[in-house]
């Protein structure tokens, strides 16, 4: 039998309501802050990610799904959402409109060739927001607050917000050097990836997942001590917005994020689960990305939130999402009344009532059993009497209460009975 590729997951019909519930909340949260949806292709020219995401990142070095198409072009399945959004922003000249340009994407499939494990898939889906053309820290803060309140509203507890500033091309080179000087004496003890990226991207050693790298960098110098005035002011302004909003956050100078395009603010929303910490949302400022991919110099900030991880958290915290009924009413009938049952079902659907009937030739008894299984709160029987009088015998499946009503009155009665 052919199975789904490793690291992918189907969303089954019985569970898709959970996704839809989240999608609805996410759309509303984005719209409240003026973000409108953007949809970009699932694949882009590989060069976009080489230039945008950066060739020292794990994503570009190890994780991209890259292939040649039949026209011999190098194509890559999106390994993150921001570069595609920035490409679209640029290509459609959206920077010529009034700024900021606020956009979000939802359920964007993201492909990374990672080691599949709990919370780590090869295809996952992100809700992401991007705000182009806003340089003030209020834009960073509104994104952090939006993500925080969204997760809080879903009932997720133990949420912590971690923020940091990784400076800008003016102040970061000096920090790179300071960090390299610190790491130079310990380079033999770093893991292979940290050794490899030591020259070009030493920052990554700070958020390496290897224990020994974490130990070695415990007392490393902090970027925060070397920020230029502009970056320091920006970071202070961000903190004062968050203080004012009263959300709990901590400054964590080890957060550097995996993508090369970040400048100034970086942040993560993390929850403590019984299997350790889980990062559910990550983002930051990328003031140089638009220019890097060939556009004007233009500040921007955004985040990405993994839908699978949000759902995982809801599960692990025992949060139950409201499950809609598949049917309001299930019509049961004797074989000779199949035509009448069919018409009834169509009439009810036309009135906005979720209705269905047996399509498998079941006996009346088996139809009731099936109706029960679907969780339909009501059944409506059409026997010979009901067919002759154009009526419906409606039964509350939980209490057994029954009412026979003329077909014309059925929709109103059904609505009443299901509240
Ligand atoms: P991590 O440190 O967990 O690898 P990341 O820094 O690679 O995360 P981002 O690139 O910032 O993550 O992506 C944003 C969000 O997308 C993450 O916070 C997470 O919720 C989700 N995500 C990232 N990679 C995966 C994956 N392989 N499977 C499922 N969700 C993921
Ligand atoms: Mg990752």
């Amino acid at each position: 039998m052919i199975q789904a590729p490793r690291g992918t997951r189907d969303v089954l019909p019985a569970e898709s309501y959970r996704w839809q519930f989240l999608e609805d909340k996410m759309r509303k949260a984005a719209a409240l802050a003026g973000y409108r949806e953007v949809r970009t292709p699932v694949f882009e020219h590989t060069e976009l990610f080489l230039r945008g995401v950066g060739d020292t990142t794990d994503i570009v070095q190890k994780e991209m799904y890259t292939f040649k198409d039949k026209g011999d072009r190098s194509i890559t399945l999106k390994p993150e959402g921001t570069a595609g959004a920035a490409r679209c922003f640029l290509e459609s000249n959206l920077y010529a409109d009034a700024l900021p340009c606020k956009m979000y994407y939802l359920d964007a499939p993201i492909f990374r060739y990672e080691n599949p494990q709990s919370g780590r898939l090869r295809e996952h889906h992100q809700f992401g927001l991007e705000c182009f053309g806003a340089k003030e820290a209020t834009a960073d803060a509104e994104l952090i607050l939006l993500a925080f309140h969204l997760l809080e509203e879903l009932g997720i507890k133990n949420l912590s917000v971690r923020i940091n500033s990784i400076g800008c091309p003016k102040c970061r080179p000096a920090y790179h050097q300071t960090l390299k000087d610190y790491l130079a004496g310990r380079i033999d003890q770093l893991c292979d990836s940290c050794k490899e990226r030591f020259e070009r991207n030493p920052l990554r050693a700070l958020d390496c997942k290897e224990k020994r790298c974490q130990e070695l960098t415990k007392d490393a110098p902090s970027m925060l001590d070397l920020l230029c005035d502009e970056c320091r002011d920006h970071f202070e302004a961000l903190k004062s917005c968050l203080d004012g909003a009263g959300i709990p956050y901590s400054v964590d100078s080890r957060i550097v994020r995996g993508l090369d395009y970040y400048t100034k603010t970086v942040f993560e929303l993390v929850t403590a689960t019984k299997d350790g910490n889980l990062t559910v949302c990550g983002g930051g400022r990328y003031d140089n990305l638009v220019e890097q991919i060939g556009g004007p110099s233009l500040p921007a900030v955004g985040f990405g939130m993994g839908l699978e991880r949000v759902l995982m958290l809801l599960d692990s915290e025992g949060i139950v999402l409201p499950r809609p009924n598949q049917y309001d009413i299930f019509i049961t009938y004797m074989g000779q009344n199949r035509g009448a049952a069919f018409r009834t079902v169509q009439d009810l659907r036309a009135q906005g009532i979720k209705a269905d009937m047996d399509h498998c030739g079941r006996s009346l008894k088996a139809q009731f059993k099936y109706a029960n299984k679907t969780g339909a709160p009501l059944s409506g029987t059409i026997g010979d009497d009901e067919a002759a009088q154009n009526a419906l015998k409606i039964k509350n499946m939980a209490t057994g209460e029954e009412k026979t009503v003329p077909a014309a009155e059925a929709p109103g009665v059904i609505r009443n009975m299901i509240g």
Side-chain angles (χ1 to χ4, degrees):
M1 206 190 59
I2 300 174
Q3 293 182 334
R6 215 162 106 75
T8 66
R9 261 208 56 203
D10 298 313
V11 177
L12 301 178
E15 55 181 3
S16 53
Y17 74 94
R18 305 180 71 226
W19 285 72
Q20 291 164 352
F21 184 88
L22 282 192
E23 289 157 13
D24 187 50
K25 293 275 182 214
M26 289 171 168
R27 283 186 192 287
K28 286 190 173 127
L32 257 183
Y35 290 79
R36 294 178 297 182
E37 187 177 3
V38 64
R39 302 188 188 197
T40 65
V42 166
F43 57 87
E44 297 273 0
H45 291 294
T46 302
E47 195 190 343
L48 175 68
F49 304 114
L50 298 185
R51 278 213 260 161
V53 176
D55 55 5
T56 65
T57 60
D58 284 352
I59 290 183
V60 168
Q61 287 187 344
K62 306 183 199 152
E63 298 173 356
M64 294 206 303
Y65 278 86
T66 298
F67 57 93
K68 283 276 173 72
D69 73 3
K70 295 200 193 307
D72 209 33
R73 297 171 201 92
S74 181
I75 293 292
T76 295
L77 303 182
K78 267 195 288 204
E80 57 91 59
T82 302
R87 196 264 314 134
C88 155
F89 170 76
L90 199 58
E91 186 167 346
S92 300
N93 293 330
L94 301 184
Y95 55 86
D97 297 344
L99 296 174
C101 173
K102 294 178 155 192
M103 52 174 86
Y104 75 90
Y105 45 84
L106 184 55
D107 286 335
I110 303 290
F111 303 89
R112 296 182 189 175
Y113 195 77
E114 299 205 70
N115 225 353
Q117 50 190 287
S118 163
R120 201 166 289 288
L121 293 157
R122 289 185 173 167
E123 181 196 36
H124 73 274
H125 298 80
Q126 286 189 13
F127 168 54
L129 278 76
E130 317 287 353
C131 179
F132 293 97
K135 70 174 167 55
E136 297 296 340
T138 46
D140 312 41
E142 79 168 16
L143 286 169
I144 294 172
L145 290 172
L146 194 154
F148 180 83
H149 289 311
L150 173 67
L151 295 169
E152 191 185 50
E153 198 195 321
L154 289 168
I156 293 172
K157 295 191 192 68
N158 306 314
L159 255 182
S160 70
V161 178
R162 302 182 185 173
I163 64 169
N164 188 25
S165 175
I166 57 169
C168 69
K170 267 187 287 172
C171 52
R172 202 183 307 149
Y175 176 65
H176 265 196
Q177 198 49 56
T178 310
L179 185 60
K180 269 166 132 173
D181 293 345
Y182 173 85
L183 290 175
R186 302 155 225 250
I187 190 159
D188 292 343
Q189 299 163 63
L190 291 171
C191 75
D192 290 344
S193 339
C194 285
K195 268 190 208 129
E196 235 168 79
R197 55 199 178 195
F198 173 76
E199 271 309 321
R200 293 180 58 200
N201 199 352
L203 246 61
R204 290 309 307 282
L206 297 178
D207 81 338
C208 182
K209 287 175 175 104
E210 293 280 331
K211 265 245 138 50
R212 55 192 162 131
C213 296
Q214 289 178 5
E215 274 300 311
L216 282 170
T217 54
K218 221 169 52 197
D219 302 313
S222 162
M223 177 74 230
L224 295 174
D225 295 328
L226 292 171
L227 293 177
C228 62
D229 289 347
E230 186 189 320
C231 288
R232 177 168 304 115
D233 290 349
H234 192 273
F235 196 54
E236 290 305 317
L238 170 63
K239 286 192 288 183
S240 103
C241 287
L242 297 180
D243 288 337
I247 65 156
Y249 71 91
S250 61
V251 174
D252 182 345
S253 63
R254 303 177 65 92
I255 291 180
V256 300
R257 317 277 311 122
L259 311 173
D260 280 1
Y261 49 62
Y262 285 115
T263 49
K264 295 192 174 119
T265 312
V266 286
F267 63 89
E268 288 184 355
L269 274 72
V270 181
T271 54
T273 70
K274 61 178 183 341
D275 309 314
N277 281 345
L278 191 72
T279 306
V280 61
C281 174
R285 182 163 275 285
Y286 47 94
D287 290 346
N288 299 318
L289 174 64
V290 176
E291 194 175 7
Q292 254 169 47
I293 62 170
S297 166
L298 191 127
V301 55
F303 73 66
M305 184 183 285
L307 273 104
E308 284 87 351
R309 292 216 185 148
V310 177
L311 288 166
M312 247 178 91
L313 284 178
L314 294 175
D315 276 345
S316 77
E317 300 197 11
I319 297 164
V320 181
L321 300 180
R323 180 201 298 266
N325 284 327
Q326 187 176 8
Y327 300 118
D328 298 323
I329 186 164
F330 195 86
I331 304 301
T332 55
Y333 60 94
M334 301 284 277
Q336 65 274 24
N337 296 320
R338 182 169 291 121
F342 184 76
R343 282 187 299 279
T344 302
V345 166
Q346 297 304 316
D347 289 347
L348 290 174
R349 289 182 187 171
Q351 296 294 317
I353 286 169
K354 292 190 279 184
D356 209 350
M357 62 187 273
D358 176 59
H359 301 288
C360 303
R362 291 184 176 89
S363 69
L364 193 58
K365 192 171 157 213
Q367 288 177 33
F368 270 104
K369 219 169 136 188
Y370 177 78
N372 237 329
K373 234 183 177 164
T374 67
L378 305 176
S379 65
T381 302
I382 303 182
D384 289 340
D385 288 352
E386 288 83 8
Q389 295 159 24
N390 193 22
L392 190 62
K393 185 157 80 181
I394 303 173
K395 178 177 169 186
N396 179 321
M397 298 290 274
T399 64
E401 177 203 2
E402 279 184 350
K403 271 184 205 171
T404 300
V405 300
E409 288 170 26
V413 173
I414 291 168
R415 275 200 194 91
N416 266 335
M417 288 177 77
I418 58 180

